[in-house]
Amino acid sequence: MTRLRCAILDDYFDIALNVADWPKLSDRVDVTVFSHPFASEQAAASALADFDIVCAMRERTAFPKSLFASLPKLKLLLTSGMRNASIDMEAAKARGVAIGGTQYSRDPTAPLTMGLILELTRGIGRENARMHAGEPWQTFAGVEIEGLTLGVVGLGKLGSKMADIAKAFGMNVIAWSPNLTPEKCKEAGVGYATKEELFAKADIITIHVVLSERSRGLVGAADLARMRPTAFLVNTARGPIVDEQALLEALQQRKIAGAGIDVFSVEPLPVDHPFRKLDNLVLTPHLGYATEDGLRIHYGQMVEAIDAWSKGGELPRKLA
């Protein structure tokens, strides 16, 4: 029996082999872990040329048509989650590559979003760093969020969860998305607003829409210009949903009070990116979904899928 080669990509935490039963596959699959991102598509093509199976972590490594063309041995591509905008599904289908996904038990992004809001308004991490650095006492006067208005862009499963958390903190909540209706807002117990109203009225705006061609650049310079100078923007959805250059300029010119950003158009965020130099921007390295609980589920279900597929069975969660 010819042994299969499996590549686990972008295991930044060096955790994949410790949270799932990979030895279950050892009689037929050789597993290689890549802990660092590829420098380019060409580097990915060279490194993965001899692999039959690839396990991708979210959109960390893109799989466009050109990369599929460079991987003639690839037969199975698994991704964490049940959608991945960086995979060319038509190209995969044309080359006979099966695509499978994994599920979540919970969504940890909403609590992280509230954490970013609390950091922006109360400076917890900032003051912690100052205390550890030997500074004598506080210098940051916080903002109370009770009674403030949270504007939610996208009132789906995650946006609705975020709205519930905000209401528990005593915030008023309004929402907008391209297809959102006043009736849906009423069902969720939040106020409906037009896009223009939301950006003009909200004290804090949080983004929870799925990245697609329709949502790419959804939040642009004109939207940021409507925000109050005391308002904050939080993005834990996807980087390209916000015009990053427009956000950079708004923050540099202090047109808004600040932002909390967990996602970026290019990830990992380049070390020389101007975002890293701003004192009114809280940055986290795409932590929204990254919990040990979630990774245990993702990698565990990848093992399950490889086990079934390598024995000639159906993928438990087939995407294409």
Side-chain angles (χ1 to χ4, degrees):
M1 177 180 176
T2 302
R3 294 185 64 79
L4 298 168
R5 296 194 66 195
C6 172
I8 300 174
L9 305 189
D10 302 303
D11 181 18
Y12 300 169
F13 305 102
D14 196 23
I15 197 175
L17 296 182
N18 299 321
V19 296
D21 188 15
W22 296 98
K24 180 179 183 178
L25 308 173
S26 61
D27 62 326
R28 72 211 101 118
V29 181
D30 295 319
V31 178
T32 301
V33 177
F34 293 87
S35 299
H36 301 285
F38 297 115
S40 64
E41 182 182 321
Q42 291 71 26
S46 176
L48 301 177
D50 291 327
F51 286 91
D52 310 277
I53 305 165
V54 169
C55 297
M57 181 51 61
R58 305 281 288 221
E59 294 100 358
R60 288 176 177 175
T61 295
F63 278 80
K65 181 178 180 180
S66 52
L67 182 55
F68 279 111
S70 300
L71 303 177
K73 294 186 178 181
L74 182 62
K75 294 294 182 289
L76 174 63
L77 175 60
L78 300 173
T79 178
S80 56
M82 291 303 291
R83 65 165 68 95
N84 189 325
S86 71
I87 296 175
D88 187 325
M89 297 300 234
E90 290 301 317
K93 183 177 180 180
R95 299 193 69 85
V97 178
I99 309 290
T102 64
Q103 299 167 315
Y104 292 89
S105 62
R106 297 177 295 272
D107 193 328
T109 303
L112 177 77
T113 302
M114 182 51 71
L116 289 172
I117 290 172
L118 292 174
E119 175 59 30
L120 287 166
T121 56
R122 299 306 302 271
I124 300 167
R126 179 188 310 182
E127 292 302 297
N128 171 67
R130 292 183 68 259
M131 293 286 282
H132 281 287
E135 296 291 337
W137 208 230
Q138 68 193 60
T139 61
F140 180 76
V143 176
E144 297 181 19
I145 63 172
E146 184 173 356
L148 296 186
T149 296
L150 179 72
V152 180
V153 177
L155 197 64
K157 181 179 178 182
L158 182 53
S160 296
K161 184 175 181 179
M162 189 61 222
D164 288 340
I165 293 174
K167 286 187 284 185
F169 276 82
M171 301 185 75
N172 304 310
V173 182
I174 58 176
W176 169 85
S177 71
N179 298 318
L180 188 61
T181 64
E183 292 73 23
K184 172 67 174 176
C185 286
K186 185 176 181 180
E187 291 175 11
V190 306
Y192 173 81
T194 65
K195 186 183 186 184
E196 293 75 15
E197 289 170 342
L198 184 141
F199 278 86
K201 293 180 177 180
D203 299 291
I204 302 168
I205 295 167
T206 180
I207 299 167
H208 300 290
V209 294
V210 174
L211 178 63
S212 66
E213 288 309 309
R214 287 185 62 198
S215 65
R216 191 176 297 272
L218 182 68
V219 178
D223 305 303
L224 298 173
R226 291 189 180 93
M227 293 176 64
R228 302 174 183 178
T230 55
F232 299 96
L233 177 76
V234 177
N235 185 11
T236 56
R238 288 294 185 274
I241 294 169
V242 176
D243 182 331
E244 289 185 345
Q245 183 59 38
L247 177 61
L248 175 65
E249 292 173 4
L251 292 167
Q252 288 174 330
Q253 298 168 24
R254 308 280 173 172
K255 291 182 178 179
I256 62 175
I261 306 297
D262 185 50
V263 289
F264 309 91
S265 293
V266 176
E267 296 183 1
L269 186 69
V271 295
D272 60 348
H273 196 286
F275 273 173
R276 293 181 183 260
K277 299 178 175 64
L278 299 177
D279 63 2
N280 56 350
L281 178 57
V282 176
L283 300 173
T284 51
H286 207 148
L287 298 180
Y289 71 97
T291 66
E292 183 174 330
D293 308 77
L295 293 170
R296 190 178 298 277
I297 291 170
H298 290 319
Y299 288 123
Q301 291 187 357
M302 287 178 179
V303 170
E304 177 189 355
I306 294 169
D307 185 43
W309 177 84
S310 64
K311 293 176 178 177
E314 291 292 321
L315 290 175
R317 287 158 291 274
K318 190 172 183 179
L319 301 186

